[in-house]
Amino acid sequence: MSTDPFGTERLRAAVLRAWADSPTRFTEDTNTENDLRVGGYRDRLFVELAQNAADAALAAGDRGTLRVSVVDGELRFANTGAPLDARGVESLASLRASGKGEETVGRFGVGFAAVLTVSAEPRIVSVTGGVAFSAERTRAEADRTGDVPVLRLPWPVADDEPPVPEGFTTEVRLPLRDGVDGRALLADLKNDIGDLLLTLPWLESVEVEGGVWRRSDLGDGVVELASPDGSEHWQVHRGEVVWAVPLDGSGSPRPLGEDVLHAPTPTDDELSLPARLIATLPIEPSRRRALPGPELTAALKNAAREYVELVCSLPGKERLALVPGAGFPRSTVDGMLREAILENLADSPWLPAQAGDDLPGRQARVLSVDVPGLAPLLADLVPGLISLSGVDLRAVGARSLSPAEAIELLTGARREPSWWRSLYDVLLPALEAHDLAKDDLGALPVPMSDGRTLPGVRDALLVGGSAELLELLSDVDIIGLRLVHPAAAHPLLERLGAKHAEASDLLEADALSAAVERSVEDVRSGLDGMALAGAVLRLIAEVGDEAPDWAGALALPSEDGWRRADELVLPTSPLGDIFDPEVFEEDGALSVLDEEFAEDWPVATLVAVGVLDSFAIITDDEPLEPEHGLPEEHEWWDSRERPPSRVLAVRDLDLVGDDAWPEALRLLAARPETWRALTEPGGHTGWWLARYALLDGHAPLDWRMPEASALAGLYDVVPDSGLSKEILLATGVRTELGADAEDVEDLLDRLGDPERKVSPGLASRAHAALSEYTVDVPAPDRVRAADGTAVDAHDAVVLDVPWFAAVLAPERMVVSASGAAALAELLDLPMASGLDAKVTEDGEYVPWTELSALRLAADQLGVELPEGGVLLHEALTVTFEDAEHEVAWWSDGRLHAADTPEGLGRAIAWATDRWADRHVLTALLDDPSPSALLN
């Protein structure tokens, strides 16, 4: 065999001559090789050598095998297929030309420069011979230093070069540069083998460190990629380009979403398509990106057309996975491809129609919500409806059909009730799964028992074939009362608001309540109200005499025409004698129910709809505002410190006749529910009766109980009306002195009434009660003085300090047990402490502790004498209102006292805050013996 079968000596000589003839050529070759090593083919080692193996297999016409290993510090790639030839060596050494045929991918073209990333001394050994490259030998041959173009000068391999491994035709051997880890390179390769096998169809298997990765064609475009860790499947379309999408374990597509363009080797052009594109495209010299231009545009448009074929190779329900999603393109190529693919999907048939052939996107209508079984029911109603649902296909021109729009298309459709029930069977699971909302089905047609099909279930009643209920309502003309055909009755209708037409459900029907609420107006306009009245009363009797709130509006016959039920009184009710006769006059507040009509119905049923047989109760456990229609409710509400937690009250109290109150109160007490309202703490009923009921012409608050003698003078004893003590007390007849903000003016009038005989003590207690309220009332003209008389307010003074009692006449003083300042403000009177009075002469200052008699008296009472002392006078005189008054003691900021037991006793009582002990202190000063205290 020739030692140089590929003519490397000739190739070297030609290159060396070129370098000698053109000094810049060496630099150009060095730079070109460096650009390929660190630029265009950086990180492409495995891809480029795998492509060479695939091309060798193609050239041999048999699928090939590639083995990758690390031997003696060398990374080796052994492959089957066509061996190395002279043309291939020329391509390797040219840097500018490739020996590849039209069908090959790599086959020792410029991409072989990728080996320089890991080795400066690459060799290729084949069954036909071998060739070596060397940076060191190139420097020596070219007489150069530094970087040199390694792949420009080939040499034959050494005579002792080991042969190609058995079973292979060619092996690339790469002594690794310092710092390059061969094992790490193999680990990286294992991650990329699957993509290499998919990209290179002529490469059947790859072996790495005993592990085998294998590609198998399973038919119908499915490719299996097996590895030591398992296998994966791809759906592949092959035409002028290759499109491939991975499949999951069930055979469904698993869209990529992120990938790069393979042209046919991986480029740096990122793609966001669901499938991988492998195509022969114009590539930049660096082989990193597609080369823009008309050729690329045409190639991408052709690839987009073939993409539809990949889509159609999948089952109909799987095809949507390959529709490109929304988002910004990841590259220029990505944008061009996506735009072209979407345009082809819009114009080419691929969407499975519900009936007939596949449809282009622009001709398709798709249900926006996936409701299994719905599309077949709508097929003949919606042209272009596809069998796929719940997806957004607007990007391919399809028109979305919302559930509400689909339901709208059903309006006017004529179908048997059983068909509608089938439709409801389909819609109910979607509603329960929240795929549909109730609003989507708002216009759902519902077949009625009368043969009509009406949109929506509002007010629809599911009668369940009940002949009794149908007969009950047969004579009643109620606008909007809709009874569902029994053959179409379905739980879906109930979920959407249809009601079962039992008695209680019928009573909840809006149509019935609306008919009742306008019933009086309808009867007065000439319509017959007897049928509606009978139907409603029968329904209420059927549910146990429990009526809805609106039942009070039911028109019933009365003595003077038709009235609302809650404006009627039973003929046998005692209210007829208790209410004021004017109440029952024509157009009065109430009327009496027609006697013959009343005899036809149980009292409980009539009372349930609001007809009165006794006083009615109002109950509200969540009151927010005073809106219950109770008499003087706002006054009661405003009189409370805080809103009530509930309202429990008797209505119509303001209709009682003036002379019928005793009987009315007995009626209230006779029934537990009205008695409970009457005795409710802080309740409206007790509050109102106390002020507005009449006992002998006056409100209960104007009277006192016979045993409340302490109130004699201010209040008179309640007259005997035959009412029990409990009723009198519940209605507010007084037992003790008390005034609230509402009673202040009345109490002032009573105190100022000269006809009333009020004791000084009662007046003082009444004044104390009045002082607790700050209300805006007119100041009284007359007030009650300390001597018990009613005097002109202009001459009166509120006694707020005790020493002025010695200079003021009793008929001028207004005395209160407490709250003198508040009382003065209420009565608009001056206080005594503000009057001008002066002690006529200074006394002698004497410390308390120097008064021996005072010490003895204080000791017996356990009173500790304070610091300081008193101004002592032989005779204490005060000038007040141009007159001199001799007094026992006084205070003008300093304490004065006459040198008497009375003067000293009051002064020390005031100084020690023991005013209540002033009389005891006075007695002990007069007689300090123990017997005086004990007596």
Side-chain angles (χ1 to χ4, degrees), residues 281-282 291-305 336-337 340:
L281 300 173
L291 181 65
E295 283 188 45
L296 176 64
T297 301
L300 294 180
K301 286 186 176 181
N302 178 65
R305 284 191 293 272
M336 295 171 67
L337 270 174

Side-chain angles (χ1 to χ4, degrees), residues 366-446:
V366 55
L367 290 172
S368 61
V369 176
D370 185 16
V371 181
L374 179 58
L377 289 172
L378 301 180
D380 61 337
L381 295 172
V382 184
L385 185 65
I386 63 173
S387 60
L388 304 173
S389 302
V391 290
D392 186 356
L393 292 176
R394 288 176 294 179
V396 297
R399 290 174 294 166
S400 179
L401 185 68
S402 71
E405 291 172 327
I407 297 304
E408 186 176 349
L409 293 174
L410 295 174
T411 301
R414 299 184 64 83
R415 295 290 190 275
E416 293 297 320
S418 57
W419 184 92
W420 292 105
R421 184 177 179 85
S422 299
L423 176 65
Y424 305 155
D425 284 337
V426 167
L427 296 177
L428 179 58
L431 181 66
E432 292 176 337
H434 304 290
D435 293 330
L436 294 179
K438 287 186 177 181
D439 289 345
D440 295 330
L441 305 178
L444 181 67
V446 181

Side-chain angles (χ1 to χ4, degrees), residues 19 49 60 102 166 186 279 285 293 314 398 762 769 807 866:
W19 287 349
L49 294 184
E102 291 183 0
E166 184 177 357
L186 292 183
L314 294 171
L762 178 57
V807 298

Side-chain angles (χ1 to χ4, degrees), residues 333-377:
V333 171
D334 189 36
M336 295 171 67
L337 270 174
R338 289 177 57 187
E339 182 178 353
I341 286 172
L342 291 174
E343 183 176 348
N344 277 277
L345 291 176
D347 295 333
S348 303
W350 66 279
L351 283 169
Q354 184 58 54
D357 298 330
D358 289 350
L359 295 168
R362 297 191 201 281
Q363 297 179 15
R365 299 196 72 177
V366 55
L367 290 172
S368 61
V369 176
D370 185 16
V371 181
L374 179 58
L377 289 172

Side-chain angles (χ1 to χ4, degrees), residues 695-761:
L695 299 177
D696 200 17
H698 295 277
L701 279 177
D702 293 340
W703 303 106
R704 66 176 175 87
M705 296 297 290
E707 60 270 23
S709 56
L711 302 181
L714 275 180
Y715 298 96
D716 299 329
V717 174
V718 62
D720 184 12
S721 57
L723 296 173
S724 67
K725 177 180 179 179
E726 289 75 16
I727 295 176
L728 294 174
L729 292 175
T731 54
V733 177
R734 297 180 183 271
T735 59
E736 58 185 21
L737 183 64
D740 57 25
E742 300 175 81
D743 297 333
V744 167
E745 192 169 356
D746 174 70
L747 186 53
L748 288 176
D749 289 342
R750 291 175 180 273
L751 287 169
D753 184 358
E755 299 297 323
R756 292 189 173 274
K757 304 300 181 183
V758 180
S759 68

Side-chain angles (χ1 to χ4, degrees), residues 646-664:
R646 71 166 184 166
V647 172
L648 175 65
V650 179
R651 53 167 267 204
D652 299 327
L653 294 175
D654 54 336
L655 304 182
V656 176
D658 290 348
D659 57 353
W661 274 108
E663 186 59 33

Side-chain angles (χ1 to χ4, degrees), residues 263-330:
T265 59
T267 69
D268 286 345
D269 285 312
E270 297 185 25
L271 299 182
S272 62
L273 299 174
R276 174 168 296 168
L277 172 62
I278 305 170
T280 301
L281 300 173
I283 300 296
E284 293 179 350
S286 67
R287 303 192 62 80
R288 309 296 283 183
R289 295 188 181 278
L291 181 65
E295 283 188 45
L296 176 64
T297 301
L300 294 180
K301 286 186 176 181
N302 178 65
R305 284 191 293 272
E306 293 195 19
Y307 188 87
V308 179
E309 297 181 34
L310 173 68
V311 173
C312 291
S313 70
L314 294 171
K317 65 179 181 180
E318 309 286 2
R319 296 175 184 177
L320 296 181
L322 295 191
V323 177
F328 291 104
R330 301 177 68 88

